[in-house]
Amino acid sequence: MTPVLPKSDAAALVVAARIRRGLTWAQLAEEIGAPVVWTTAALLGQHPMTPEQARCACLLLGLDESVEESLRLQPSRGADPATLTDPTVYRFHEALSVYGPALKELIHEEFGDGIMSAINFRVDIARRPDPDGDRVVVTFDGKFLDYRW
């Protein structure tokens, strides 16, 4: 039996196989039957996949059972400090550093004392044409959870 790979190793194999096979993240998500952002995060090791999802992904990508098993494991989410050195990821960090306190105040003003869930959560990305250059639209959609004393 092949040993289970670390999630980071499995993610690297997924990325290479996706490129080699000419597949987009959206195509993989459609075949797996899950949202594109969630599917991409799962294939990069940030969510556990069901056995069916992992099997489907590995069949599409031509990867073996060691990757399939890795895709099913619980992740250590956000554990890679190297992600903050990536310019795109860093800009999200920067945006939340600048606007996070304002968003927190506005959530409290609009909803009361509580938080936006990142567990009961949806995220989406879209491209919006703009005369000054296309815009990236990221939507965070989290359930409001009130603090209960």
Side-chain angles (χ1 to χ4, degrees):
M1 181 169 200
T2 311
V4 177
L5 293 173
K7 287 186 93 57
S8 60
D9 292 355
L13 291 171
V14 164
V15 170
R18 183 188 69 79
I19 293 167
R20 185 173 46 255
R21 293 198 170 212
L23 295 168
T24 66
W25 295 112
Q27 289 170 319
L28 290 168
E30 185 176 331
E31 290 293 327
I32 290 167
V36 67
V37 177
W38 182 91
T39 299
T40 305
L43 291 170
L44 293 176
Q46 293 299 308
H47 298 298
M49 299 182 96
T50 66
E52 296 79 20
Q53 290 169 327
R55 190 173 310 110
C56 180
C58 287
L59 284 171
L60 290 166
L61 295 167
L63 298 171
D64 67 24
E65 66 275 355
S66 65
V67 175
E68 185 179 323
E69 287 182 14
S70 179
L71 291 173
R72 294 169 49 194
L73 295 175
Q74 287 294 325
S76 295
R77 290 182 175 96
D80 184 1
T83 59
L84 282 182
T85 62
D86 177 84
T88 302
V89 175
Y90 179 77
R91 291 300 173 255
F92 280 102
H93 178 75
E94 178 184 37
L96 288 175
S97 293
V98 171
Y99 293 103
L103 292 169
K104 175 188 182 298
E105 288 295 323
L106 293 167
I107 288 170
H108 288 194
E109 183 175 271
E110 179 71 24
F111 294 91
D113 189 16
I115 61 169
M116 177 183 72
S117 174
I119 296 170
N120 188 339
F121 188 77
R122 291 185 211 74
V123 60
D124 197 19
I125 186 168
R127 182 182 199 138
R128 189 179 75 225
D130 187 280
D132 289 332
D134 288 356
R135 308 291 293 181
V136 177
V137 179
V138 178
T139 304
F140 285 176
D141 181 349
K143 179 179 180 181
F144 178 73
L145 303 173
D146 61 320
Y147 283 108
R148 298 186 182 172
W149 300 101

